[in-house]
Amino acid sequence: MITKSSGRAAAETPCRVTVCRGCCCGDGAKIPGVDHAGQIPRLRTALGGAAPVRASECLDVCDQANVVVVQPSAAGRAAGGRPVWLGLVNDDEALADIAAWIRAGGPGIAEPPGVLDLYTFKVSRRVREGLEG
């Protein structure tokens, strides 16, 4: 059963970051020249504790590998922020831009750097609900 947090704890719930590491994301054969194993540790370091980062099995958007999903903080969701799906995240500059945006507040709180528009994509309701549900 999923219950909603209330009070101060909910207001302090940070953004959450999910990095796909399924069948295609994180695969050096599909995307050569990327340090896939180091991507999550580098993102965690760049975030400096501003948000937890977790690896996920396949998120079913293999054509966008490597995929990162940024879930808004409780405050961001209250302000209208929704999860942002970012694809083709295959370089450290993209990770740095994502981390800077999250440190500034993330979805619903801070405008993402314009360059992240190049990485943002929409997913089907079935895929989206699989992550959020």
Side-chain angles (χ1 to χ4, degrees), residues 7 9-10 18 23 27 44 54 63 69 74 79 101 112 115 127 130:
T18 302
C23 63
D27 183 350
R44 285 182 175 137
R54 67 181 176 155
D63 60 323
V69 183
W101 174 46
V115 70
V127 170

Side-chain angles (χ1 to χ4, degrees), residues 72-99:
S73 64
R77 188 166 287 277
R82 295 294 173 256
V84 175
W85 289 69
L86 303 158
L88 307 175
V89 180
N90 298 316
D91 59 68
D92 286 345
E93 291 81 13
L95 291 177
D97 289 332
I98 293 166

Side-chain angles (χ1 to χ4, degrees), residues 23-24 26-34 36:
C23 63
C24 296
D27 183 350
K30 179 172 181 168
I31 308 165
V34 175
H36 298 284

Side-chain angles (χ1 to χ4, degrees), residues 45-65:
T45 298
L47 284 167
V53 179
R54 67 181 176 155
S56 173
E57 290 297 320
C58 184
L59 294 175
D60 202 18
V61 284
C62 299
D63 60 323
Q64 295 291 325

